[in-house]
Amino acid sequence: MSAGWNTIESDAGVFTYLINNLGVKDVQFEELVSLDAAFLRQRSPVYGVIFLFKYPTGETRHETPIDGTYDYEAAENQFFAAQTIQNACGTQALLSVLLNKGDCINIGPKLQEFKDFTGAFPADLRGEALSNSELIRDVHNSFARASPFADEAQRLATEEDDVYHFIAYTAMNGKLYELDGLQPAPILHGSCSPDEFPDKVIPVIQRRIERYPAQEIRFNLMAMVRDLRIRAREIGDQDWLYQEEQKRNAWQWENALRRHNFIGFTGEILKGVVESQIVEGNGKYGEWVEEAKAKTKKRLEERRKVRGGPDEDEP
């Protein structure tokens, strides 16, 4: 945890219920498994996309972006907030889309109040206001994975660390923007209407991915779209509606599991198994331990044969 903000997963169910709990109406997230403009267009209207990637911690900061151009005027006229705290980038990315789509999304009274309050702020103060919003922080943290361990250590990431970062892409005022709180301003990627967004944003994301080695596959892309159940009802597709309702039920179940700490439960199961072996007596416990050691040794030997060298897990 960093200054009260926990990490959250890049998951459509997590992000959908996160914005629901912030008061947003009739919006959901859809995970995109390929960079396919046609597939994205089928989910229209598409309000924006959230992109997760491995952040290059050793990269030198440039005065101009590698792709696109900084639009400092947009930083003042649209909602753009500097990221001032770690672990908040996921929520900050989705808010960067939501708070710039007030004309077509019902963001609810709480987020509207926050937007109105920060409207005249510069980007750094908007970031501070976001980081200090109890409502946004509490909703964000409610979707963090439960952990029995608290790491109070604070340190800067090094080049050896795997650090991941969320950014947003959306169409605003006839232009395609990249919204990244670690940058000094929104990055302009050319003209773009809402209808053109699926076709215009995919090449931009492809160019960003191409900066990485070919073997790097740790990316995630989610689209912010209108609630697909509305579309299913409009066209009378009951099968689609049923699938979407089932997906929502699965998301609720998965989110409930994320909040639960299974360490204690697992420990009690192990204690029960051990006690049952001890109760049997006649050396059953010792036999059970030796049998487990033998199985472990066998697995290590088989793994070593496959890899053709010493196993890293072997003491």
Side-chain angles (χ1 to χ4, degrees):
M1 186 171 67
S2 175
W5 290 74
N6 299 334
T7 57
I8 60 173
E9 292 181 64
S10 181
D11 179 86
V14 168
F15 276 52
T16 296
Y17 280 96
L18 193 157
I19 61 175
N20 285 354
N21 289 356
L22 288 173
V24 179
K25 304 296 184 184
D26 301 331
V27 178
Q28 73 173 75
F29 282 86
E30 277 287 288
E31 186 169 358
L32 304 177
V33 295
S34 65
L35 294 175
D36 186 344
F39 180 84
L40 183 57
R41 201 180 307 111
Q42 291 171 2
R43 272 70 186 160
S44 295
V46 181
Y47 305 121
V49 296
I50 308 297
F51 183 54
L52 174 71
F53 59 95
K54 183 179 178 181
Y55 190 77
T57 53
E59 186 175 81
T60 303
R61 180 66 63 89
H62 300 278
E63 293 185 2
T64 59
I66 297 175
D67 189 15
T69 57
Y70 289 129
D71 188 337
Y72 290 95
E73 184 178 351
E76 301 298 325
N77 299 331
Q78 305 296 325
F79 181 85
F80 177 77
Q83 185 178 330
T84 61
I85 193 169
Q86 294 179 3
N87 300 333
C89 58
T91 295
Q92 184 156 337
L94 66 86
L95 289 176
S96 295
V97 177
L98 287 172
L99 299 186
N100 285 303
K101 293 292 182 179
D103 58 334
C104 53
I105 294 179
N106 180 357
I107 61 175
K110 295 297 184 180
L111 286 184
Q112 186 63 54
E113 180 182 346
F114 176 80
K115 180 181 179 181
D116 293 341
F117 174 70
T118 60
F121 290 2
D124 57 343
L125 288 184
R126 285 188 191 135
E128 290 291 344
L130 193 159
S131 299
N132 288 292
S133 168
E134 290 188 11
L135 167 69
I136 297 173
R137 183 179 64 244
D138 290 347
V139 172
H140 170 101
N141 285 344
S142 71
F143 289 90
R145 280 190 176 276
S147 173
F149 310 110
D151 182 7
E152 300 297 337
Q154 298 290 321
R155 67 180 182 84
L156 295 175
T158 67
E159 294 186 33
E160 287 71 35
D161 292 321
D162 285 341
V163 179
Y164 295 89
H165 184 54
F166 290 94
I167 61 175
Y169 294 91
T170 191
M172 302 185 300
N173 297 330
K175 300 175 182 178
L176 174 59
Y177 284 102
E178 175 183 327
L179 302 173
D180 179 355
L182 295 181
Q183 300 297 329
I187 298 176
L188 174 62
H189 290 285
S191 63
C192 179
S193 68
D195 291 338
E196 294 173 321
F197 179 74
D199 296 289
K200 293 289 186 71
V201 73
I202 294 299
V204 176
I205 297 173
Q206 285 175 328
R207 291 197 298 270
R208 174 176 278 275
I209 291 175
E210 288 169 358
R211 300 180 201 171
Y212 291 82
Q215 65 270 21
E216 178 59 69
I217 59 172
R218 290 170 293 183
F219 304 101
N220 185 261
L221 183 64
M222 293 183 295
M224 182 188 293
V225 301
R226 187 176 65 154
D227 189 333
L228 294 177
R229 296 174 299 180
I230 298 175
R231 177 81 173 277
R233 293 189 186 102
E234 288 175 347
I235 65 176
D237 191 330
Q238 294 302 315
D239 289 339
W240 186 13
L241 178 60
Y242 175 77
Q243 292 173 5
E244 291 300 320
E245 293 289 2
Q246 290 297 103
K247 183 166 62 180
R248 293 288 181 127
N249 292 336
W251 283 347
Q252 286 185 314
W253 171 247
E254 291 166 1
N255 287 337
L257 293 180
R258 286 184 177 93
R259 295 188 180 99
H260 190 73
N261 173 15
F262 287 95
I263 298 297
F265 174 72
T266 304
E268 290 301 316
I269 289 179
L270 291 175
K271 286 166 59 178
V273 171
V274 171
E275 288 174 0
S276 67
Q277 295 294 328
I278 293 175
V279 169
E280 286 190 31
N282 299 322
K284 289 291 185 180
Y285 176 75
E287 293 177 6
W288 177 57
V289 172
E290 292 302 320
E291 181 181 354
K293 289 181 178 179
K295 289 182 178 179
T296 300
K297 183 178 181 181
K298 182 179 179 181
R299 283 198 297 269
L300 290 173
E301 291 175 348
E302 291 175 348
R303 195 182 303 173
R304 188 188 307 114
K305 291 178 181 178
V306 172
R307 294 180 178 177
D311 195 280
E312 296 177 355
D313 299 329
E314 188 174 3

